[in-house]
Amino acid sequence: MGFMGDKATLLESERFVPVQGPGDIVGDQAVAPEAAPEPIAGSVTNTIAEAVADAGAGVGDRLGDETEAETETEARHRRAAERGDIASMSILGSLLLRRGDLDGAEPYLRAATSAGDRAAANNLGVLLHQRGYADEAAGWWRIAAVAGSAAAAHALGRHYRERGDEPAAEYWLRQSAESGHALGAYALADLLEHRSDVGAERWMRTAAEQGHREAAYRLARALERRAAEVGGLQLLRDALAGAGPLGGPATGTRLRGAAAGGGRADGAAPAEEDRAVTGSRPAAAGGGTAAALLAEAEQWYRQAAARGHRRGALRLGTLLEERGELKEAGRWYLTSAKDGEAKAACALGFLLRDAGDEESAAMWWLRAAQDGDGNAANALGALHAERGETQTAERWYRAAMDAGDVNGAYNLGLLCAEQGRTAHAEQWYRRAAYAGHREAANALAVLLLQGGDAAGAGPWFSKAAEAGSVDAAFNLGILHASRDEDREALEWYERAAAAGHVEAALQVGIALVRDGDEQGAERHLRYAAGGGSAEAAFRLGALLDSRKSPYDVVRLGEAVTRKTECEEWYERAAQQGHRRAQVRAGMLAAARGDVTDAAYWYRAAAEGGSRNGAFNLGLLLSHEGSEAEAALWWTRAAEAGHGRAALRLALLCARRGDLVDGKRWCARAVELGPPEVAERAARLRDALQQELSA
């Protein structure tokens, strides 16, 4: 059976016949460490051309020198072998074996093996294995292993594992690993990890410390995943300790999904499904803090990347990008992309796009998409869609879908929805939703609901919400609320709010105010207001305002300059254009004696269409002596249905002697109310009627 990683099959030469300089003895001698890639200087964009230009420099000269040296070494060992030198026979056999000359290598290896050379016995096993004589190869490996060859013990262990004899495999791999053989330690760790043995990490670490790049990479992956587990447990402890149910960024708005702005593939490459060391020890059993684990993981990623591990370079770039170190992240993405890692090319494209270089980003996305990366194809589709090139965008979204990326179908649905092609949008949403795309399920439900099919929308909202879509949970709350199913609606609102949905937190806060739970309501309203909800800021201000004690009431003539917390929340909502908050901010400013602020907020509300703002602005202007302008604002308020403004206009007309208009405004005030205003307006109207009749 094969193993994941750089050494994928038994026949790869680096396992038993390391690709070293000519004349190196194969098997027992340590493999020289691989050279680390040179650091890449300068910006990501400038480095690309330089790296490509330097890539072929000096290759011809090196190949010529190496070929000449190898020929000379082979001739020297051939002469010595003909004189009966055992070591030269072994080395010459290994040289011929590496070249692929099995017939030429076999006599020298057999002769050296007969003389007791264990490296020759190991390499003879390799030769026989390549010819298909696995059992005979195992016999020679056993001879070499018993003689102390760690490489042969490793090969024998792999032989037994491929035949399903795990106890024998573990025995020989352990012999190899304990002899200091990096490949043996790695293979042993892989075997133990397959069985979820707690000793797997020890040997994976041993192999990594000896320079095995795949071991370093897998060890880093294990540490990174453990860090995520530790971080998750810490969040759970915080929640259980009363840190509050709300967390995470705001994720959506009302009935989001069907007409969202493009639904583009916009982010780093998705997490890889690589195998890592598991079962090493429980995450909560003292494995270190999440930060410490991540720091150690980064060091192992660096080691793997420096030794040419392209996925290690990709993961290192991802960690650096998450930390904001974009320049170094770009260097490692570039290193990995140049080594053929499509995900790194895609991630590099996003980095360049965010830096404003769309053309270079498109180049790397194209390269990644041509290598089968669906995320890059989605990014190209988004780029062309933003440029209005919908046909090209559709072609790339289809390419993403063909590459197995379900986001392609979802993005096709979004593209069709933007174009008004509802039937096609529903088709693509369904395809993505059936494939398990939760946001596609949410978008499909929104589309059905907008088309009047509430019964069809419900199951899709539920499916998306159960799969973890925060927007779907919020939308499901809206759906239940529309059916007067308040308890079910609150449950879904609370679920979305716990995941950080701002508007869901607002709805929970409103429900808790209604139920009398002011403490819980305040917590949710504060979260929603802090997340940018103007309505939540207004309602939080109103909640705090309602708690004022009688001692907080401003007495007539008393100077107050300090703003209360409720006024600050009113002002935050007012700054976002909330008209009722603007009126309340104006009232509190007026109560403090700040006429300038009061006029500012009243005017903002009035110009935004608030009849209360217009009425209060009129009162303020009248008090300041601007009765003519006050009448204009009262007129606007009265025409918008404000009864008190109509009564004020009637009184103003009566003072001026304009009895006809006064009577008209009285009638309007009686019509609009409230009752006490209607009563006063009726008395004034009767008095004006008597004046007119006199």
Side-chain angles (χ1 to χ4, degrees), residues 519-589:
Q519 184 176 0
E522 181 181 345
R523 186 172 70 253
H524 283 85
L525 290 175
R526 283 187 184 277
Y527 179 80
S533 171
E535 181 66 23
F538 169 72
R539 289 181 178 270
L540 178 58
L543 180 65
L544 298 173
D545 205 0
S546 67
R547 293 178 181 172
K548 283 183 178 179
S549 69
Y551 300 102
D552 295 329
V553 178
V554 180
R555 293 173 176 80
L556 186 62
E558 181 180 353
V560 179
T561 57
R562 183 178 57 84
K563 292 182 181 179
T564 60
E565 186 184 3
C566 68
E567 184 176 355
E568 291 173 351
W569 284 111
Y570 282 141
E571 286 190 354
R572 179 178 294 194
Q575 288 165 356
Q576 298 179 61
H578 196 289
R579 293 201 298 270
R580 293 172 64 194
Q582 289 168 342
V583 174
R584 287 298 301 164
M587 293 174 65
L588 291 177

Side-chain angles (χ1 to χ4, degrees), residues 41-309:
S43 68
V44 175
T45 306
N46 294 336
T47 306
I48 296 171
E50 297 171 5
V52 172
D54 294 340
V59 173
D61 295 338
R62 288 197 304 271
L63 289 176
D65 293 342
E66 289 173 3
T67 302
E68 183 179 349
E70 185 172 349
T71 302
E72 181 183 347
T73 301
E74 181 181 338
R76 176 165 49 84
H77 285 297
R78 189 178 293 275
R79 289 192 297 270
E82 290 173 353
R83 292 196 302 269
D85 187 86
I86 303 302
S88 291
M89 290 180 187
S90 178
I91 293 171
L92 181 59
S94 72
L95 287 172
L96 295 172
L97 176 60
R98 182 166 59 244
R99 188 188 301 164
D101 184 1
L102 304 187
D103 291 333
E106 186 170 356
Y108 290 108
L109 291 176
R110 285 191 180 275
T113 299
S114 299
D117 189 288
R118 67 182 187 185
N122 175 47
N123 287 331
L124 180 58
V126 174
L127 184 149
L128 292 169
H129 189 278
Q130 291 182 4
R131 282 184 162 169
Y133 303 119
D135 291 335
E136 187 179 355
W140 289 111
W141 282 331
R142 180 184 292 274
I143 290 172
V146 170
S149 171
H154 166 244
L156 190 58
R158 292 297 305 277
H159 168 79
Y160 281 121
R161 185 175 182 186
E162 289 178 352
R163 276 156 177 69
D165 188 350
E166 290 195 359
E170 181 180 352
Y171 173 81
W172 288 110
L173 291 175
R174 194 175 292 278
Q175 293 293 319
S176 176
E178 290 175 349
S179 297
H181 195 272
L183 294 177
Y186 174 72
L188 177 60
D190 189 86
L191 176 64
L192 295 176
E193 187 271 334
H194 176 71
R195 300 204 306 243
S196 299
D197 192 298
V198 294
E201 183 177 334
R202 171 200 167 192
W203 289 111
M204 193 69 75
R205 188 179 294 274
T206 298
E209 289 171 348
Q210 292 175 5
H212 194 291
R213 63 183 186 181
E214 180 69 15
Y217 173 74
R218 288 179 61 179
L219 179 60
R221 291 288 287 166
L223 291 168
E224 188 178 359
R225 290 175 183 175
R226 192 186 307 153
E229 293 172 3
V230 171
L233 287 172
Q234 186 59 49
L235 288 175
L236 179 60
R237 292 190 195 100
D238 291 344
L240 293 175
L246 304 176
T251 57
T253 55
R254 182 182 181 87
L255 291 178
R256 197 174 149 199
R264 311 304 179 202
D266 186 17
E272 300 170 272
E273 296 298 328
D274 298 330
R275 290 166 60 192
V277 185
T278 57
S280 303
R281 61 175 179 265
T289 65
L293 290 169
L294 276 178
E296 186 182 358
E298 180 182 336
Q299 294 306 311
W300 289 115
Y301 280 137
R302 285 188 181 277
Q303 178 169 314
R307 293 182 177 276
H309 196 291

